[in-house]
Amino acid sequence: MLSLHPALHRAKPSDAPPKIGLAVAGGGPIGGMYELGALRAMDEALDGLDLTRLDCYVGVSSGAFLAAGLANRMSTAEMCRIFITGTSDDVQFRPEAFLRPAFFEYLRRAASLPRLAMAWSRDLLFASSDSRWSDLITRFGGLVPTGLFDSSEVERFLRDVFTRRGRSNDFRELPAPLYVVGVDLDSGEAVRFGGPGWDDVPISKAVQASAALPGLYAPVDIRGRHFVDGALRRTMHASVVLEQGIDLLIGINPLVPFDSSRAKRNPDGIDHRLSEGGLPVVLSQTFRTLLQSRMQVGLAKYRQQYPDIDQLIFEPNSDDGELFFTNVFSFAARRRVCEMAYRNTLADLRKHADTLRPVLAAHGIALRDDVINDEHRSILDGLAPPPRSTETTARLRRALDEVDHLVATRRKRG
C-alpha cells in the first residue's frame, strides 16, 4: 500500500541536487525483512535513486539496522545475501544468536526471591489485614525478567559488521547523517543517537537499544540510562529526517492493522472475527492500529509543517492475512516475507506509476518500466552472485566506487 503526499509548494529547481531522506520504522524481525524486500524493490525499480547515498537516514527498532547498513554503503543486494540467501562472503547470519535466552537476567531476578519472600512473610504477619495480599503482585513482579532474550548477541553481530571492509561503527565517520531513536525507560524521553551529545555512542549499541522491544529484550544500559524500543514514542520518527532540509521523504512502515473483512486468506477457525484468534491476535491488531494511526496523524501534520517536501510512504496491504498471521519474531519466514514485500512494492509502483512519474522526476528519479511491469519478477532475479573479495580488495572496491561517484557527480554539474 503506497501513500503519496505531494508537496503543497514544491521548491523551485536549483543547481543543487535534490536532497532525499529515508525513515525506516520497526516491526520485529519480520517487519525488518518486509522493509528489506521493499527497499530492494525500490533499488531496482527507481532509476536515479541510490539508497546508499541518500542525504539523511533515521531508523527505529529493526529498521535501525537497515538504515545503518545503507548509511554504511551496504547495498540492498548485499543485505539480501546476508539475511535471505545466505550467500554473502562477508557476513554469516545465524538467527539462533538473536534468540539466545537471557539466562543471566533469569538468575539475577531469581536470586532476589528469598529476600522478597522473607519481607512479604514478615509483613503478612504484622501488617494490617487489608494490606496483606494487595501488594503481592507488586512485590513479586520484580521477579519477572524484563526480556526473554539476550540482546548482547545482537550488538556483537552489528559491531562485527560495522567494523570491517571500510564500514564504520561511529556515527561521526559516516558520509551522511544517521539517527537511531531509542526511548529512555525511566523518563519516556526519545533520544536521537547520532545527534548532538549522543553521536559518540557506537552505532551497534544504539541499534541494540532501539530494538529492545519490552518483553522480548531487556532494556539496554547506556551511560547509566536504560533504553528500549524507539517506537514507543513514534512509529517512524520521520520528523528527524524532515528537519534536515530534504526535498523528498521515503518512509517504510511494516505494521498495519489487518482488515479481515477483505482478507484474501485467514487461518482455520478465524472467519472475519479476530477475537477467535485469542489474546495474541487481539494484541497484535491493537498494537498495529495504534502505530499506524499515530503515524498517519504525524504525516498529516508534517504536510502542513513541511509543505515543500514530497512524502512517499510504503506499507503492506491491509488485506494480507498471510503477513498478519506470520509470527512477528520468526526468522524462519524471512525469505517468504521479503519476497512478499518485494512484489507488493513493485505492484504499488506499477499501480500508481502515472501519478508518481512527475513527482519522482522532480527529484531526478525515473521508474524502470521493465522492472515494475514484470508481474512475475522475483527478488532473486536481480541478485547477482557476490564478488569474491578479501578485506583488502573490499576496501579497494569501496574506494574506487567513491571515486567513480565523485567523477559522475562533477560531470553532471559541469
Side-chain angles (χ1 to χ4, degrees):
M1 180 170 62
L2 172 62
S3 299
L4 173 62
H5 304 273
L8 298 177
H9 309 289
R10 188 173 296 120
K12 294 181 180 180
S14 66
D15 293 337
K19 298 181 67 175
I20 303 173
L22 176 69
V24 194
I30 286 302
M33 292 303 98
Y34 190 93
E35 290 166 330
L36 177 55
L39 288 167
R40 182 59 185 160
M42 284 187 271
D43 207 1
E44 291 193 296
L46 300 180
D47 189 25
L49 176 69
D50 186 344
L51 291 171
T52 67
R53 296 181 183 276
L54 301 184
D55 298 280
C56 185
Y57 302 84
V58 62
V60 184
S61 192
S62 57
F65 171 75
L66 299 175
L70 292 171
N72 253 302
R73 299 282 197 259
M74 291 182 69
S75 68
T76 58
E78 179 59 20
M79 286 192 274
C80 283
R81 295 188 193 103
I82 294 171
F83 293 108
I84 307 304
T85 65
T87 57
S88 172
D89 69 337
D90 179 14
V91 180
Q92 297 300 314
F93 172 63
R94 291 184 291 274
E96 62 274 10
F98 283 60
L99 299 175
R100 181 171 297 177
F103 292 119
F104 178 77
E105 172 75 359
Y106 301 162
L107 293 173
R108 187 176 70 85
R109 296 282 172 174
S112 63
L113 176 59
R115 177 179 54 82
L116 290 174
M118 184 175 296
W120 181 71
S121 300
R122 184 175 60 252
D123 290 346
L124 186 65
L125 290 173
F126 300 107
S128 58
S129 59
D130 61 348
S131 63
R132 290 177 179 177
W133 300 98
S134 59
D135 65 345
L136 179 62
I137 295 178
T138 302
R139 282 179 178 267
F140 287 91
L143 296 175
V144 180
T146 54
L148 296 175
F149 304 110
D150 182 3
S151 65
S152 62
E153 288 299 317
V154 176
E155 193 278 331
R156 189 176 295 111
F157 171 81
L158 296 175
R159 187 179 353 122
D160 178 60
V161 172
F162 294 146
T163 53
R164 291 191 289 112
R165 299 201 172 187
R167 297 184 284 265
S168 176
N169 200 30
D170 190 328
F171 285 100
R172 297 164 295 187
E173 295 180 355
L174 296 178
L178 166 69
Y179 301 97
V180 173
V181 183
V183 171
D184 186 328
L185 182 63
D186 295 313
S187 68
E189 174 193 1
V191 170
R192 301 177 182 181
F193 297 107
W198 293 97
D199 56 356
D200 59 328
V201 176
I203 296 173
S204 57
K205 196 71 175 179
V207 175
Q208 178 194 14
S210 181
L213 181 64
L216 184 69
Y217 293 116
V220 176
D221 187 334
I222 299 178
R223 298 181 185 172
R225 299 169 63 175
H226 292 87
F227 290 92
V228 293
D229 196 320
L232 267 64
R233 284 299 300 265
R234 293 180 184 176
T235 303
M236 281 197 312
H237 290 270
S239 60
V240 177
V241 175
L242 292 168
E243 293 169 1
Q244 306 303 311
I246 63 170
D247 302 295
L248 171 65
L249 166 70
I250 299 175
I252 310 177
N253 170 41
L255 297 181
V256 299
F258 176 53
D259 186 351
S260 62
S261 65
R262 299 172 52 243
K264 301 173 183 176
R265 182 188 303 178
N266 286 343
D268 294 338
I270 300 179
D271 184 17
H272 307 312
R273 293 183 299 274
L274 294 183
S275 60
E276 299 300 323
L279 182 61
V281 171
V282 173
L283 290 178
S284 177
Q285 180 75 335
T286 302
F287 183 64
R288 290 164 180 264
T289 302
L290 289 173
L291 285 179
Q292 193 198 40
S293 62
R294 185 174 59 180
M295 186 190 72
Q296 289 175 337
V297 170
L299 290 175
K301 181 179 67 175
Y302 297 151
R303 193 182 184 197
Q304 302 300 321
Q305 289 181 329
Y306 306 96
D308 297 337
I309 301 176
D310 291 307
Q311 301 175 25
L312 196 61
I313 311 299
F314 292 87
E315 296 179 306
N317 297 321
S318 61
D319 60 357
D320 200 331
E322 183 178 6
L323 179 62
F324 179 79
F325 290 103
T326 296
N327 181 358
V328 73
F329 303 119
S330 171
F331 284 102
R334 62 186 184 276
R335 180 167 179 171
R336 176 172 55 83
V337 169
C338 202
E339 180 74 52
M340 184 191 312
Y342 178 84
R343 294 189 174 184
N344 284 352
T345 303
L346 290 184
D348 284 337
L349 293 173
R350 180 169 59 249
K351 179 180 178 181
H352 299 280
D354 292 340
T355 305
L356 282 171
R357 288 187 199 280
V359 175
L360 294 174
H363 306 287
I365 302 171
L367 288 170
R368 289 188 55 190
D369 291 328
D370 60 319
V371 174
I372 65 173
N373 291 330
D374 185 354
E375 299 186 20
H376 301 289
R377 187 177 180 87
S378 166
I379 196 171
L380 302 180
D381 290 342
L383 206 61
R388 295 296 171 182
S389 59
T390 64
E391 177 75 15
T392 301
T393 57
R395 287 177 177 272
L396 178 60
R397 185 179 295 111
R398 184 185 180 97
L400 292 174
D401 287 342
E402 293 294 331
V403 172
D404 288 343
H405 176 71
L406 180 62
V407 172
T409 302
R410 289 187 174 180
R411 284 179 177 173
K412 287 182 180 179
R413 293 178 180 178

